[in-house]
Amino acid sequence: MGTEQKVAVITGASQGIGAALVKAYRDRNYRVVATARSVKPSRDDDILVVPGDIADRKTAERAISEGVARFGRIDTLVNNAGIFMAKPFIQYTEADYAATLGVNIAGFFHMTQFAVAEMEKQGGGLSCRSRRASSTTRSPASRPCSRP
């Protein structure tokens, strides 16, 4: 496959904002690497589905390496995956805390690290985060974005 068409990686792509982002990027003729725990297979040849838990570093590594293998490049990363606990902080369990850190911090870190490393090899790219997914994280390698 040629490398002229841009490629976006979208985490949390199985529902809500993430699913809408996949559609929006495809509507703009991007190829998409869609990752989430419960992401469903796609019949669209320009969507690569990589199921997995973003808190696991291997999911981030697979998403980026499989995206590059299939599409030849990574141009945009949208860190949309995020966990919100709809209960008071003092009621969080250890499991709640671990899940939140795993997805919202570790997942963001690993995915951004792999994607930006690939973008640097290509000479550029864009890494952004959804405000919902990473309201407690800031990184010089990312910036908020609202549309593709």
Side-chain angles (χ1 to χ4, degrees):
M1 294 191 152
T3 58
E4 297 77 25
Q5 198 172 3
K6 292 193 176 190
V7 178
V9 177
I10 301 170
T11 69
S14 63
Q15 61 185 347
I17 293 169
L21 284 165
V22 171
K23 182 181 181 326
Y25 273 94
R26 284 298 298 130
D27 288 348
R28 287 162 182 78
N29 201 33
Y30 275 69
R31 292 176 171 152
V32 174
V33 179
T35 186
R37 286 180 287 214
S38 60
V39 68
K40 302 214 181 336
S42 174
R43 292 183 185 173
D44 184 338
D45 289 338
D46 286 329
I47 297 175
L48 171 64
V49 172
V50 181
D53 184 349
I54 201 63
D56 181 351
R57 181 177 176 86
K58 291 179 183 177
T59 298
E61 186 175 25
R62 273 191 4 260
I64 300 304
S65 66
E66 290 179 19
V68 170
R70 178 142 167 204
F71 300 133
R73 63 192 294 151
I74 301 294
D75 298 286
T76 301
L77 167 65
V78 181
N79 275 304
N80 175 66
I83 292 178
F84 170 73
M85 296 289 172
K87 60 184 171 183
F89 173 76
I90 59 171
Q91 293 178 7
Y92 278 31
T93 65
E94 285 291 321
D96 293 339
Y97 179 70
T100 301
L101 284 179
V103 172
N104 295 1
I105 306 297
F108 170 86
F109 173 81
H110 297 308
M111 186 59 77
T112 303
Q113 192 175 51
F114 283 113
V116 170
E118 191 58 43
M119 290 175 197
E120 286 181 343
K121 291 179 198 172
Q122 300 165 188
L126 170 68
S127 172
C128 60
R129 57 182 162 70
S130 88
R131 294 173 198 264
R132 173 189 65 88
S134 52
S135 62
T136 60
T137 61
R138 298 287 184 259
S139 167
S142 72
R143 58 184 166 185
C145 64
S146 58
R147 60 184 165 81

